[in-house]
Amino acid sequence: MSDPQNTPAPQDENQLIAERREKLKALREAQAQGGAVAFPNNFKPEDHAATLLATHGAKTAEELAAEGTAPISAKIAGRMMLKRVMGKASFATLQDSSGRFQIYVTRDDIGEERYAAFKHWDLGDIVGAEGHLFKTRTGELSIHVTSVRLLTKSLRPMPDKFHGIADQEVKYRQRYVDLMTDEAARKRFAARSRAVSGIREFMVTNDFLEVETPMLHPIPGGANAKPFKTHHNALDQEMFLRIAPELYLKRLLVGGFERVFEINRSYRNEGISVRHNPEFTMMEFYAAYWNYLDLMDFTEALIRDAAVKAVGTLLLTYQGREVDLSQPFVRMTIREAIFQHTEAGAHVDDATWLMSALKKLGMTEAKDKLSTRSLASLQVLYFEETVEDKLWQPTFIMEHPTEISPLARANDARPEVTERFELYITGREFGNGFSELNDAEDQAARFMAQVAAKDSGDDEAMFYDHDFVRALEYGMPPAGGCGIGIDRLMMLLTDSASIRDVILFPALRNEAPAAERKREA
């Protein structure tokens, strides 16, 4: 345990920034007198830390300094994370995009003037170093520096090297600092990149065509959600940020493409939580001549492939509990899920009992209009309140009510429900798919029902999309379509508790002005 009496008092951050600005001022003045450029842009690193360690890390000191062989040269650049000055020699650690590497700097090798400058460089500065590889007495592969340059002067001190950023909101707001100080954060987003690249590769391998559809929509559609509104000046009309690309992707099926997908950004003007961000990434894909059973098979294979490419395993741990992607995903209807995970029993088919149970769970008649809902719709509400969070292992929940699935094909035998599924893992929804409704007249009637719901106060109900109905009137082949939440999938694959942990720059309230932050402190 450290002795408080021997622990130096922390310096005021404003004082540290002022000192660094003075150092930069001196660099600018030296440049004006013909000295080195303050922010040079002509240093070209030739190596990365991880590559040097992988290639030469196992070599002994004798092998690196074998008689009669030329020294192994190295040239790297990175942010200075550690520095230890010992008189005429110093050690420093540089961090590049691949990892960290130690450099050894001496006055005799780089000259007294440059060494004096180096000693005054700060943690966080970006430095370029060149020299030859050697092993220290402790066996650490390092660069014995023959040339070192300051490439970028850091004006702000870095967080404590041992604890990083303690405030979670600051990690989200200042992601650049989070990434430079937290290796786990860098690994998390690298895994996300691998997963997204793997998903794209999987889709293309299975003959899907990647397409791009509009992000500004004249009519919001494709989901029951509240949109963001904007105004298009040139067209002089109200526009909406897309809530889903679905209706445009299905127009492409009408046009003749049989398999399409889009990894897209969508926007919903709704709440923020550990699993919701107003701006999010999802993938939607559509295949002609598929139904919802085909979609479930494909979605299962897709998620397994993404897991292997991102983290190398199908046996995951999420928040301390195991998730096994290697086993066949469970498939059950909403009704079956209620039977299995609650004590409702035969009451699952009793609308009066369900309304009473929902009221006991906190739903009010005025808010949810329970008396106007069908039995299937009441079952969905009861499922959401009592079953969702129990579905830890991958589970497809099927047969959602037609009245709340305006774009899905109704089941031929039971027209009150649709050929639709939602995928649940760790108690939350990961995907939504269904056999597509391709009957133009049925679709028009569904849209009219949505318009009626909107007129009754449901601001998440859909608009009537005349052009989409017109497209269906030309004829869309039987098809299946699915949307998968990329952010939630990344939460699972990287064991992240909050969606903000897997979005580089999540939505946050505007930062308070400095004077206000000071008052609050």
Side-chain angles (χ1 to χ4, degrees), residues 159-160 162-172 177-178 181-182:
D160 181 275
F162 295 111
H163 301 104
I165 304 176
D167 189 318
Q168 194 65 42
E169 182 168 332
V170 174
K171 289 171 74 72
Y172 300 145
V177 181
D178 180 36
T181 57
D182 187 348

Side-chain angles (χ1 to χ4, degrees), residues 32 98 115 256 269 320 355 359 394:
S98 70
Y115 185 68
N269 196 359
M355 280 190 283
K359 289 176 183 177

Side-chain angles (χ1 to χ4, degrees), residues 226-242:
K226 188 175 181 180
F228 285 94
K229 298 180 182 180
T230 187
H231 185 81
H232 195 299
N233 290 336
L235 297 177
D236 191 24
Q237 69 182 42
E238 185 178 58
M239 301 287 280
F240 303 87
L241 290 178
R242 73 173 166 206

Side-chain angles (χ1 to χ4, degrees), residues 384-404:
E384 291 172 346
E385 292 294 318
T386 62
V387 180
E388 269 191 13
D389 59 0
K390 299 174 183 176
L391 303 177
W392 192 263
Q393 298 302 331
T395 304
F396 289 114
I397 297 295
M398 304 177 293
E399 298 187 2
H400 292 69
T402 303
E403 67 191 88
I404 62 169

